[in-house]
Amino acid sequence: MDFATLLQVLDSTIRLATPLLLACLAGLFSERAGIFDIGLEGKMLVAAFLSAAMAAITGSVWIGLFAGVFAALLFSAVHGLASITFRGNQLISGVALNFLAAGLTVLIAQSWFSQGGRTPSLIGGARFEPITLPFAEALQNVPILGPIYYELISGHTILVYVALLAVPATWYILFRTRFGLRLRAVGENPAAVDTAGISVVGLRYAAVAICGLLCGLAGAYLATGLSAGFVKDMTAGRGYIALAALIFAKWRPWYALMACLLFGFLEAIANRFQNIEILSIPIPVQLMQALPYILTVVILAGFVGKAIPPRAGGEPYVKER
């Protein structure tokens, strides 16, 4: 693999890892507060559909972005209502949202656009365009560093940079602020937080809302940044991969970045090298495309028993009287 090809693969890695990273950080906030969220997939899917649909109708990607975030927040509110207020089973609630999103998006897309469950292709201002960073063109001919800055660091859409900046922001919020301390405490010992006079329900709803916001950004990026419209089941299991990355990262933001980049790298390799031979043995295309999902199974099988989740995760809190 020459240097130019390596840069192209790494560039694809960043773009493909972006929705995974946003969804992984979304699950991080939710699960740190004790709310397990299997519904990341459904939130991303409904956000992807509504963002693409509104962008296609209005011609504005920003209206589409806000619509996608609104849709994900609405699903988060339903999940919070079921698992926090009514103290239902969090896993069942998340799975139900996934099924609801999978059916609802195709049904509405067919009703609105009559294109087989997809939206029209987005062009012009209806999708996010790459941003050229300062001095990128001037420095592109500088050996080594120039191409890295021009092709790898510059040239991404705004949501890619938002996702990367969200990692240190998440670390700071969770580990350097009073809100983050309380949020983590709710996931470990909600009774102690309640005894201190802090609302467990309020903190958990805040975490679920942040989860919805980040899932909305992830879904909107899929439809208006990474692709140019919505197609059926376009999330393709990314919500579940994000959960696997979260477990692999042991619920820590910087590890989550590394895990998501690993998944993105495997997907980029699968897309780039579909006809590859190892020791003169051709590797089937299907095996290359399945690499991210194989890694998901390996991680879940190898790390679920070793990664220790928040102690109060998945358990509804009942206030003592």
Side-chain angles (χ1 to χ4, degrees), residues 218-258:
Y221 172 76
L222 275 176
T224 60
L226 190 61
S227 302
F230 173 84
V231 296
K232 178 183 177 182
D233 296 330
M234 73 177 305
T235 48
R238 285 181 172 88
Y240 301 110
I241 294 178
L243 285 175
L246 182 59
I247 295 171
F248 187 40
K250 298 182 179 180
W251 294 270
R252 292 184 176 274
W254 292 107
Y255 293 169
L257 173 62
M258 297 298 106

Side-chain angles (χ1 to χ4, degrees), residues 84 87 190-191 193-201 204 316-321:
I84 301 173
R87 298 192 289 272
V193 175
D194 193 20
T195 302
I198 302 169
S199 173
V200 173
V201 171
R204 286 189 166 180
Y317 176 67
V318 181
K319 186 178 180 69
E320 296 182 4
R321 298 185 180 276

Side-chain angles (χ1 to χ4, degrees), residues 120-145:
S121 296
L122 303 178
I123 57 175
R127 63 172 308 197
F128 285 106
E129 297 293 338
I131 298 174
T132 302
L133 297 180
F135 310 112
E137 294 182 353
L139 297 174
Q140 64 176 314
N141 294 323
V142 176
I144 307 298
L145 295 180

Side-chain angles (χ1 to χ4, degrees), residues 40-259:
L40 298 177
E41 180 88 0
K43 295 183 181 70
M44 292 172 64
L45 190 61
V46 73
F49 163 69
L50 199 59
S51 62
M54 294 307 296
I57 292 171
T58 64
S60 171
V61 68
W62 293 104
I63 293 177
L65 175 64
F66 288 122
V69 170
F70 171 78
L73 285 172
L74 185 61
F75 266 51
S76 286
V78 173
H79 181 58
L81 192 66
S83 59
I84 301 173
T85 301
F86 295 110
R87 298 192 289 272
N89 187 293
Q90 298 172 10
L91 300 181
I92 293 176
S93 173
V95 171
L97 288 178
N98 289 341
F99 283 120
L100 179 63
L104 199 61
T105 51
V106 175
L107 179 65
I108 299 177
Q110 178 62 22
S111 175
W112 285 3
F113 304 107
S114 301
Q115 295 188 12
R118 66 174 63 213
T119 63
S121 296
L122 303 178
I123 57 175
R127 63 172 308 197
F128 285 106
E129 297 293 338
I131 298 174
T132 302
L133 297 180
F135 310 112
E137 294 182 353
L139 297 174
Q140 64 176 314
N141 294 323
V142 176
I144 307 298
L145 295 180
I148 290 177
Y149 182 62
Y150 179 74
E151 296 186 23
L152 186 60
I153 300 176
S154 178
H156 298 289
T157 63
I158 188 171
L159 290 183
V160 173
Y161 299 112
V162 169
L164 294 174
L165 290 174
V167 177
T170 298
W171 172 83
Y172 182 81
I173 291 171
L174 286 178
F175 297 100
R176 289 295 183 271
T177 66
R178 181 179 299 178
F179 171 76
L181 174 62
R182 291 174 174 177
L183 194 73
R184 289 184 289 122
V186 164
E188 297 291 340
N189 193 343
V193 175
D194 193 20
T195 302
I198 302 169
S199 173
V200 173
V201 171
L203 282 170
R204 286 189 166 180
Y205 265 111
V208 168
I210 296 173
C211 175
L213 171 63
L214 292 172
C215 282
L217 295 177
Y221 172 76
L222 275 176
T224 60
L226 190 61
S227 302
F230 173 84
V231 296
K232 178 183 177 182
D233 296 330
M234 73 177 305
T235 48
R238 285 181 172 88
Y240 301 110
I241 294 178
L243 285 175
L246 182 59
I247 295 171
F248 187 40
K250 298 182 179 180
W251 294 270
R252 292 184 176 274
W254 292 107
Y255 293 169
L257 173 62
M258 297 298 106

